[in-house]
Amino acid sequence: MSHTLRLRPSLAHNFAAVSSRHHKSSSKALNLSIRSCSAPPENASKLVAEVKTRLEKQHSNLPVGKYGRDDEEMILWFLKDRKFSVEETVSKLTKAINWRKDFRVSELSEESVKRVAESGKARLHDYLDVHNRPVLIVEASKHLPGYYEPNEDESLCVFLIEKALRKLPEGQQQVLILIDLRGFQTQNADLRFLTFVFDAFYCYYPRRLGQVLFVDAPFIFKPFWQLVKPLLKSYASLVRFCSAKEVKEEYFTADTIPTSFR
């Protein structure tokens, strides 16, 4: 299974190159979303129909049905993301639908990702946060690049994103990612995979990422962040550096705090 990432510099070289740079103290809380969803214009239904027609004429080989070229709910979502530009929506949707087909997203299951999931490095929290968002928890110290095949890590990532989106309550549209950096060491740094995660949200799950929490980041992580941040562009504004104490007090109730933070 092959998945293209746009940026793949040598991690060892660049990590060393930036490690001597000074990095400011942890960022304060930032906006929970890149931008608010655009209100649908009065002719939204006509724009949806136009996108459907173009996809049928220009890309008739694309699948239909849920998450296919005739999925009006998905078309409207991508129209909002592209500020209701039909041309841009058709382009982005075509790539997204093709990616879902090539990645075989519909075939992902608990069983297919079981081997890498047993590492305990990533999971969907049982409870929503105080903003009613599904929470994806990542324990960075358990991620060892090269131990699993890249496609295994990517499959677990996509499976959990899909699972989180199915858990969205009425009125909520985004998820929270909580990256526990306690115990993080150089060998846990994985530029390729982190880029894949943000690329996936930007290209295939637009506007679904509400916020990313980097929890208790050690000093050794900060040069890595200096390297990654420019690659994320506007998505970097979704990142907040915070403490485990802040996570407990600001994002969960006493009954919903993840076990690893109690």
Side-chain angles (χ1 to χ4, degrees), residues 8-259:
R8 300 189 185 187
S10 168
L11 176 57
H13 173 77
N14 287 318
F15 189 77
V18 300
S19 61
S20 61
R21 297 178 187 172
H22 176 70
H23 182 63
K24 295 182 179 180
S25 59
S26 297
S27 304
K28 294 183 178 180
L30 294 167
N31 293 333
L32 295 181
S33 60
I34 294 177
R35 59 184 182 228
S36 60
C37 288
S38 304
E42 293 182 1
N43 64 336
S45 59
K46 291 183 178 179
L47 295 176
V48 169
E50 184 176 350
V51 171
K52 280 180 64 177
T53 299
R54 288 202 188 188
L55 288 173
E56 182 180 8
K57 290 182 178 179
Q58 300 172 12
H59 306 281
S60 59
N61 61 317
L62 291 176
V64 296
K66 185 69 173 176
Y67 303 120
R69 59 177 169 79
D70 60 346
D71 185 334
E72 295 188 0
E73 184 178 350
M74 184 168 72
I75 290 174
L76 179 58
W77 187 263
F78 274 71
L79 272 168
K80 291 178 181 179
D81 175 62
R82 295 293 87 196
K83 297 181 179 179
F84 294 94
S85 165
V86 170
E87 196 70 35
E88 291 183 18
T89 299
V90 169
S91 176
K92 191 166 185 175
L93 256 179
T94 299
K95 294 175 183 177
I97 296 172
N98 272 320
W99 172 79
R100 293 186 67 91
K101 180 177 65 174
D102 295 341
F103 201 99
R104 299 181 179 178
V105 175
S106 63
E107 298 177 22
L108 294 176
S109 65
E110 297 280 357
E111 185 61 31
S112 69
V113 301
K114 181 179 179 180
R115 192 174 90 93
V116 64
E118 287 178 343
S119 68
K121 61 183 172 182
R123 66 187 183 278
L124 176 64
H125 188 41
D126 292 334
Y127 302 98
L128 305 175
D129 75 349
V130 295
H131 301 290
N132 285 326
R133 297 174 299 189
V135 182
L136 293 173
I137 300 176
V138 178
E139 295 188 34
S141 64
K142 295 181 179 180
H143 179 68
L144 298 172
Y147 189 84
Y148 297 98
E149 292 296 324
N151 69 289
E152 289 185 278
D153 286 326
E154 293 169 5
S155 292
L156 177 62
C157 170
V158 173
F159 173 75
L160 289 176
I161 293 174
E162 291 279 320
K163 190 175 181 180
L165 294 180
R166 289 195 295 271
K167 194 175 180 179
L168 285 170
E170 186 70 27
Q172 182 53 262
Q173 301 172 326
Q174 298 179 320
V175 303
L176 170 71
I177 296 182
L178 193 164
I179 302 180
D180 187 351
L181 290 166
R182 293 173 294 181
F184 176 89
Q185 298 181 36
T186 306
Q187 61 263 34
N188 303 124
D190 192 344
L191 177 64
R192 181 188 184 282
F193 180 67
L194 192 58
T195 305
F196 170 83
V197 174
F198 279 92
D199 273 357
F201 273 104
Y202 176 78
C203 297
Y204 316 125
Y205 302 98
R207 296 180 180 232
R208 292 302 189 183
L209 184 57
Q211 191 175 27
V212 180
L213 303 181
F214 283 150
V215 185
D216 283 341
F219 180 79
I220 196 172
F221 176 79
K222 294 174 182 178
F224 178 65
W225 172 243
Q226 287 289 79
L227 173 63
V228 171
K229 186 177 180 180
L231 308 182
L232 306 184
K233 299 181 180 179
S234 62
Y235 268 56
S237 68
L238 298 180
V239 172
R240 176 189 178 187
F241 284 82
C242 60
S243 67
K245 183 175 183 292
E246 289 172 311
V247 168
K248 290 190 291 184
E249 294 178 350
E250 300 177 25
Y251 291 88
F252 299 96
T253 66
D255 295 328
T256 62
I257 300 172
T259 303

